[in-house]
Amino acid sequence: MEFKTVEALVSVGARYVGRAPTFDVEPGWWSEVEAITRHLDELLGVPTVVLRLVQADEAVIGRGGRVVYHVEAMGEPRSGVLDETPLPDWDSVIAAQPLRSTWAEVGGPARLIAWARSVIGPVDAVQVKTWNLSCLVRLPGAWAKATSRFCSVDADIIEHVRLYDDTLAPAVLATSRVDRWSLLAHAPGTDCWEPDRASVESVVPRWVAAQAALAGEVDELDAPRLLPDELADEIAALIPRVALSDDEVSGLLKLVDRLPSIVGELESAGLPISLVHGDFHPGNWRSDGTHRVIVDWADTFIGHPATDIRRLHDFLPAEKREHAREVWSAAWRRELPGCEPLRALRPMSVLGPLTYALMYQRFLDNIEPDERIYHEDDPGICLRSALDMAGCEL
């Protein structure tokens, strides 16, 4: 288990009140904050929320190491606990930043929680996660989620999905599209990180059926576009923005020239452009042994549906991949007789990483500087993966 060492800069509103004694928490993912606020609530004697990452250990990106957060206390902290020495750079910590997430602003999580309570009543609320893509709060029987302006709104996407399968995603309890807030019913069970055959045979065909139905609605969906036939121009524009070696640049430019033929191979499978979940790994499936739902819809985009099976493939143990491919292919052949889904897999092994390189760059272009450490290396990693896969088969 990788612990993270937390330094909390605490404010009441925007007023700095002190630095908390350093403490260790687990699990170590920087975005997971439940253990942090639990510790600080007890230490300070008032409820707290984490607003944002201020600084983090660059040697252990994403997990563990030393992490500094701006924490807002919902009342005056217990006296004698904090180091109240003035912080010389406090003004820079709270200075307005045009790309800052709404929930990373003073009062941001409190507004999300107040909205959720206005729907389900004055219940306990626990902030579970916060970072540049979302803020997630657990309430009894429900989850409140805020998403970034460049991501999809979970509740909005789910409402479209549930028109075709109302068992495939959690029920929507409320939505604020202006604020990009979703209030969703809790999905019972556990995350399916290593799904059994029954889970694959339940989730994959149902999602394929929904994608086939949603293909006719892509122009009506409020989701980003990441289309295969636009990749060549977009990747060509991305390459100069990423730290790459001369050999990598040369290889990628040659790959860009090949993209029309690779996209043509993808299109020969006969699958439609539709809604892509975007993060279709089994950790985003929930199962109680009988009912299985897909969660975390903020990364959805309009694109090629083989992107999702490629994502699933990358997370599954090697011995489970063939079964998943067979289930996915059979599901598409039922929905679109005459299509050849397996023909999409080889080109998607290259196009998938390129698609995610663009997605991660979109994240970087739309998040404040302090939070870019989460994704700084991701476009380059994806571009190199595409290069590696260009000469390989799935």
Side-chain angles (χ1 to χ4, degrees), residues 51-313:
L51 297 187
R52 68 180 185 91
L53 184 73
V54 175
Q55 187 178 2
D57 188 344
E58 295 185 5
V60 288
I61 293 176
R63 185 179 183 90
R66 172 182 167 277
V67 190
V68 182
Y69 298 97
H70 178 190
V71 172
E72 184 178 6
M74 303 293 106
E76 293 297 327
R78 183 180 290 122
S79 63
V81 174
L82 297 174
D83 177 356
E84 300 178 7
T85 304
L87 196 66
D89 59 350
W90 178 246
D91 286 347
S92 67
V93 173
I94 61 168
Q97 218 297 326
L99 296 178
R100 181 160 296 157
S101 302
T102 57
W103 58 87
E105 298 170 348
V106 169
R111 288 191 292 272
L112 173 64
I113 292 169
W115 170 75
R117 285 172 170 163
S118 74
V119 177
I120 62 176
V123 296
D124 290 338
V126 178
Q127 185 189 32
V128 173
K129 184 175 184 177
T130 190
W131 65 328
N132 48 72
L133 302 183
S134 64
C135 178
L136 190 63
V137 174
R138 185 178 65 243
L139 304 104
W143 294 84
K145 184 175 182 180
T147 52
S148 297
R149 62 185 70 84
F150 54 91
C151 292
S152 296
V153 178
D154 288 62
D156 182 43
I157 297 297
I158 288 171
E159 285 177 340
H160 285 280
V161 171
R162 285 174 60 94
L163 290 175
Y164 300 101
D165 186 337
D166 63 5
T167 69
L168 193 57
V172 175
L173 304 179
T175 313
S176 174
R177 289 180 176 82
V178 172
D179 296 301
R180 309 188 72 79
W181 292 341
S182 303
L183 186 63
L184 307 174
H186 175 67
T190 58
D191 298 339
C192 303
W193 282 107
E194 291 199 15
D196 56 19
R197 292 175 69 91
S199 293
V200 172
E201 291 166 2
S202 169
V203 173
V204 172
R206 289 156 59 218
W207 177 225
V208 165
Q211 285 181 300
L214 287 162
E217 299 184 14
V218 292
D219 292 335
E220 303 169 22
L221 296 172
D222 183 13
R225 265 62 174 167
L226 287 167
L227 303 176
D229 60 4
E230 297 177 358
L231 279 177
D233 289 342
E234 293 180 348
I235 293 298
L238 175 61
I239 291 170
R241 305 183 62 195
V242 180
L244 299 163
S245 70
D246 291 344
D247 287 345
E248 288 167 342
V249 170
S250 177
L252 284 165
L253 291 175
K254 292 175 182 176
L255 179 55
V256 167
D257 290 339
R258 291 175 50 197
L259 285 182
S261 65
I262 296 174
V263 171
E265 184 181 359
L266 179 75
E267 292 173 344
S268 72
L271 303 184
I273 295 299
S274 186
L275 186 68
V276 176
H277 180 274
D279 201 13
F280 194 62
H281 63 71
N284 279 332
W285 306 357
R286 296 275 296 175
S287 172
D288 63 4
T290 302
H291 305 98
R292 298 171 178 88
V293 301
I294 305 170
V295 298
D296 195 2
W297 294 84
D299 288 341
T300 54
F301 60 87
I302 305 305
H304 196 281
T307 315
D308 279 338
I309 189 63
R310 178 68 204 185
R311 187 72 160 176
L312 176 60
H313 167 277

Side-chain angles (χ1 to χ4, degrees), residues 316-334:
L316 288 177
E319 66 274 11
K320 295 187 176 184
R321 292 172 180 173
E322 181 62 29
H323 174 244
R325 290 196 294 262
E326 291 175 353
V327 170
W328 177 80
S329 177
W332 271 111
R333 285 186 276 109
R334 283 193 299 272

